[in-house]
Amino acid sequence: MDYPHFFINGAWREPESDRRIAVESPANCEIVGSCPEAVEADVNAAVSAASAALGRDDWAGTSGADRADYIDALSDAMKSRAMDLASCAVAEIGAPISFSKGQVAMARMTLKFYAQLARDFAFEEQRKGYFGDVIVRKEPIGVVAAIVPFNGPLFAAMLKVGPALASGSTIVLKVPIETPLFSYLLAECVVAAGLPPGVINILPADREASEYLVAHADVSMASITGSVVAGRSVAEACGSQVKRAALELGGKSAAIVCADADPDTIVPALANASVINSGQACAAQTRILIPRTRYEEYVTALATAYECMKMGDPADPATELGPMIHKRHFQRVKAYIQTGLDEGARLVTGGKTPAELEPGYFIEPTLLADVSNDMRVAREEIFGPVVCAIPYDDIDDAIRIANDSDMGLSGSVWTSDVEAGVNIGRQIHAGNFSINGFTMDVAAPFGGYKSSGLGRELGEEGLHDYLESKTINLPSV
C-alpha cells in the first residue's frame, strides 16, 4: 500500500514536497505502506479546490435530495469495498477484524442516516413573525476542515462527511499520519460515487500542516475528533478568527454498578465496554464504580473476564484486543500503570505484554483496584486497556464520583431496575449515557459536556453545526 499522490479536486495530485509517511503495523512493527505527507502548499491546493466547489452549479445548485443521492452513492461504494477497508484497518491500526468490520458498518450507517435527513430536512421554511412573515433558510457553512483520529478514522470521518455533504458544504479531510492508508480507499470510493470535484479533498498531515489548515482564511469551520489538548488548540485558533469549531474530545467515563446487578449477567458486557478497541476509544467506560458491599466480588469477576479475552493477530476473527497504536503510546500507557501503582492502586490483573506477542505493542487488559477518584489514573484519559475499580458507599456517592471529572463524554449504569437507571442517567453530567450496555445510535446526538467538547455529532443535531441560519423578512401586508 504505497501511494504517491494526494486526492485533491477529484483527482490524484502530485505532492508539493518529498516528505513521506511510513506506516508501521503496531501488531508486528512491520511497514505496511506509505504515502506523502502534506505541507502548507498542499493544504492551500485542497482548500482552494473545496472553496471553488462551493460556487459551482454541480454542487451549489443541488437540492437536499440531490445531495442525499450522492451520500447514498458514497455509502454504496464503501459497501463494495467493505472488506478492503476493514483489512486496511487491521493492517494500520492493529484493530481486530471484528471491530474493523463494525467500523465500516457504522460509517455506512451514518451516511445512510444523513442521506435520509437531507431528503427530509427543511432547508427553507416560511414562518409567522410578530411583524409579518419571514423565510428562514439553512445554508451551508462553507469549507470544513475535518480532522480525525487514528483509532477509528473511517467512522470518525463519516461523522463529519455525512452532515457536511448533507448541508451542502465542502470538505478538506485531514487524516492522521499513524493511519492514513484507509483514506486512499475512501478516495477511490468518492470517485466511484461520482461526487463533484473539490467537494471532498483528503490530506494526510501532521500537527504543523493541520494547524495551518484550521487557521486558513478560506476555512469556515473546523471539526475535530481528538484529545482535549488538540481540541483546545483548534478552539483557540477558531476563536481568534470567529469561525465555528466542533469538538469531540476525550473522556474518562464512569460505569456505575448498582447493588442489585447480577455479575454473571453484566460483567461480560461491562468488561467489553471498558476496553473497547483496546481502550483506545474516547467513550470507553474506564472508571468502574462498585458498591463497597460487593466490591471484591465484582473485582474478581472483572479480572476473570479480562483474563479470558483473546489478544493477538488482529486478522484472526477470534481476537478481541489488538495493540497500542505505536511505541510512544505503548510506553505512555505502561507509564500510567506504574503511576497508578505508585499512587497506591492494586494491580489485580494485566499490565504486561505477552512474550509471544512481542515485538507488537500489546498490553494485557489491566484492572487497578483500590483506586480513589483523585488519583491521576482516575482523572486523566489513558487511552489504553487500563480500568480503575472505584468503591462507593451509596448511589448518591456514586453519582458524585461519576460527575467529579473534568470530562463528560459518556457513562453507563448497570442495574436490574431500568427506571432507576434512567433516573441516574438524568443526574450524570455527560452527553451520552447507556443502561446495561454501551451504545452510540446514529439517530441520536453524541458529544460531551465540560472538556469533552463542543457541539454534537450524529442525529439531526449533528447537521446543525454545518449550517448557517439566514432570515429574510418579507414585507408586511
Side-chain angles (χ1 to χ4, degrees), residues 261-287:
D262 174 27
D264 292 338
T265 301
I266 73 163
V267 162
L270 175 57
N272 286 329
S274 64
V275 294
I276 184 173
N277 199 21
S278 303
Q280 296 174 124
C282 55
Q285 309 292 291
T286 53
R287 289 186 296 153

Side-chain angles (χ1 to χ4, degrees), residues 78 148 151 172 190 247 273 280 288 291 293 304 346 383 443 457 461:
M78 287 168 55
V148 298
N151 56 321
V172 178
V190 171
L247 315 175
Q280 296 174 124
I288 299 183
T293 55
T304 299
R346 166 167 53 104
F383 222 61
E457 295 185 312
E461 291 80 0

Side-chain angles (χ1 to χ4, degrees), residues 205-219:
D206 207 347
R207 177 177 176 179
E208 185 177 340
S210 300
E211 291 175 346
Y212 181 76
L213 170 63
V214 169
H216 199 290
D218 291 333
V219 167

Side-chain angles (χ1 to χ4, degrees), residues 2 10 88 96 130 189 217 319 385 389 397:
D2 294 305
C88 185
Y130 280 98
C189 292
T319 295
D397 189 36

